[in-house]
Amino acid sequence: MFEATTATKPHVLFVDDEPRILTSMRMLFRSKYQVTTATSAQEAIELLKAQPVEVIVSDQRMPNMTGIEFLREARDIAPNAMRILLTGYSDLNAIIGSINEGEIFRFVNKPWVNEELGRTLDRAIVAARESANASADDAPPLAADAQAPAVLVLDEDPQTLPQVRAILGDAFRTFGATSLDEAITLMEREHIGVVMSETRVQGHPVVGVISLLKQHQPELISVIVTERADAGTAIDLINQGQIYRLITKPIHDSQCRIAIGSALRQHHKLAQNPELHKRYEVAAPPEDAATPALPKTATSLLDRIRGLRALFKRSG
């Protein structure tokens, strides 16, 4: 049911099979947003078909259809709506599904903090409104010429780069780096559209670097390829890194080829439509979180990452 009818209020749909959760959401946000609630995924799907919504907040554990399955359908019905997944447990497969299938904006743990959830909703609404009129053209030519955006594989495993090159063949330009310093050097020299990375490089989590890269080069797309995925890391990579896909090793040829082709098209779309950047804005790390771990050359790396935007503009 609608709890507000003011036309200018942002429209948010909350989906949860627990009525008390929906009551809490309604009480928290009805003064600020136009609130619609649904107690099942199927009810929410019918609502989406009938009316525009700017933000969808869905629980994961629901009968008949999980939150991930619902958000996948919601993406097809209302592609411009921002998607937020709310859950009280850390199921790795569900989290990976939220990246690869639901393309969610944020992953929010229960019990949520009201102020933090409110800030997340505000950012999601800004993103939905700014990106509403973006171009639908997302199919650039994927040629491997010198001007085409390239793929950077960041992994200390010496087998990963040749394997990816063998999978992608001549369709894409592909470079490799085994350290963060090498990766930034390549990005200073080449037009990199997609970074494929392990979750840790040189003993350091890559989420901090991916977050910084995304802040300074919003059209850069990140794909994680890992054999050591865990729920906590995956959540951080969604919220703080806005990664586009997560692939677990061993790498499968078709999965990798499809993911990279899609990621390069996404890079092109974001490069051509700056109004979409808010849709993939990274979250600040939690206040009690440590500063992202970087090697001893951190200051130099940070300065070089900040300079990539200027290099990209000049090369463009």
Side-chain angles (χ1 to χ4, degrees):
M1 59 176 290
F2 286 95
E3 290 295 325
T5 57
T6 304
T8 57
K9 281 188 176 181
H11 192 176
V12 181
L13 170 63
F14 294 98
V15 188
D16 199 303
D17 64 312
E18 296 186 51
R20 64 180 182 84
I21 296 292
L22 296 178
T23 299
S24 296
M25 294 297 190
R26 189 180 298 117
M27 295 297 294
L28 278 170
F29 299 116
R30 66 182 179 183
S31 65
K32 192 172 186 179
Y33 311 128
Q34 182 179 344
V35 173
T36 301
T37 62
T39 55
S40 71
Q42 191 56 51
E43 180 186 358
I45 288 170
E46 296 306 313
L47 285 167
L48 287 174
K49 290 177 179 177
Q51 55 194 287
V53 168
E54 288 164 291
V55 178
I56 304 166
V57 182
S58 175
D59 187 34
Q60 165 62 9
R61 301 187 82 170
M62 298 186 292
N64 303 319
M65 185 182 293
T66 66
I68 294 304
E69 293 168 335
F70 161 62
L71 290 176
R72 183 172 60 231
E73 290 202 28
R75 184 184 60 182
D76 294 333
I77 299 166
N80 290 329
M82 303 299 293
R83 296 171 291 277
I84 296 171
L85 187 68
L86 188 68
T87 184
Y89 76 120
S90 296
D91 181 310
L92 180 59
N93 289 332
I95 296 166
I96 293 175
S98 72
I99 299 168
N100 295 344
E101 301 172 39
E103 292 184 6
I104 69 166
F105 179 65
R106 292 289 186 270
F107 189 106
V108 177
N109 277 314
K110 292 180 179 178
W112 65 85
V113 177
N114 293 345
E115 293 78 9
E116 290 180 3
L117 180 57
R119 287 193 292 269
T120 298
L121 285 170
D122 286 343
R123 292 189 181 99
I125 288 158
V126 169
R129 292 191 166 185
E130 289 193 4
S131 62
N133 298 317
S135 169
D137 179 17
D138 62 350
L142 296 178
D145 59 67
Q147 301 303 314
V151 179
L152 170 60
V153 179
L154 176 57
D155 197 329
E156 293 173 289
D157 184 346
Q159 297 180 352
T160 303
L161 176 61
Q163 183 179 5
V164 171
R165 278 181 167 160
I167 292 170
L168 299 181
D170 296 330
F172 312 106
R173 296 191 305 135
T174 308
F175 299 93
T178 58
S179 70
L180 297 175
D181 183 73
E182 283 183 58
I184 301 304
T185 298
L186 276 164
M187 295 183 73
E188 290 169 333
R189 191 179 73 218
E190 301 289 344
H191 178 181
I192 302 297
V194 175
V195 174
M196 292 184 68
S197 177
E198 250 290 358
T199 56
R200 298 181 70 87
V201 176
Q202 297 175 283
H204 301 279
V206 298
V207 62
V209 172
I210 288 176
S211 178
L212 288 167
L213 286 169
K214 194 70 175 173
Q215 290 173 47
H216 295 284
Q217 202 166 351
E219 61 283 321
L220 185 69
I221 304 301
S222 299
V223 175
I224 295 297
V225 183
T226 184
E227 60 186 358
R228 47 178 178 264
D230 65 82
T233 298
I235 291 170
D236 288 343
L237 287 165
I238 292 172
N239 290 346
Q240 297 175 40
Q242 276 295 295
I243 61 170
Y244 184 67
R245 294 288 185 268
L246 193 153
I247 300 172
T248 54
K249 295 178 179 178
I251 301 172
H252 299 287
D253 292 15
S254 60
Q255 182 187 27
C256 179
R257 195 177 300 111
I258 291 169
I260 295 305
S262 178
L264 281 166
R265 286 189 290 272
Q266 182 75 351
H267 165 75
H268 172 84
K269 186 174 183 177
L270 294 185
Q272 297 300 312
N273 297 278
E275 61 269 33
L276 289 174
H277 291 176
K278 285 285 186 182
R279 293 187 70 88
Y280 305 96
E281 182 181 56
V282 296
E287 292 181 1
D288 57 351
T291 301
L294 293 171
K296 293 179 181 178
T297 56
T299 301
S300 173
L301 280 176
L302 289 173
D303 289 341
R304 292 166 67 192
I305 288 172
R306 293 187 184 105
L308 287 173
R309 186 68 184 162
L311 285 172
F312 179 79
K313 284 183 175 179
R314 287 201 298 272
S315 64

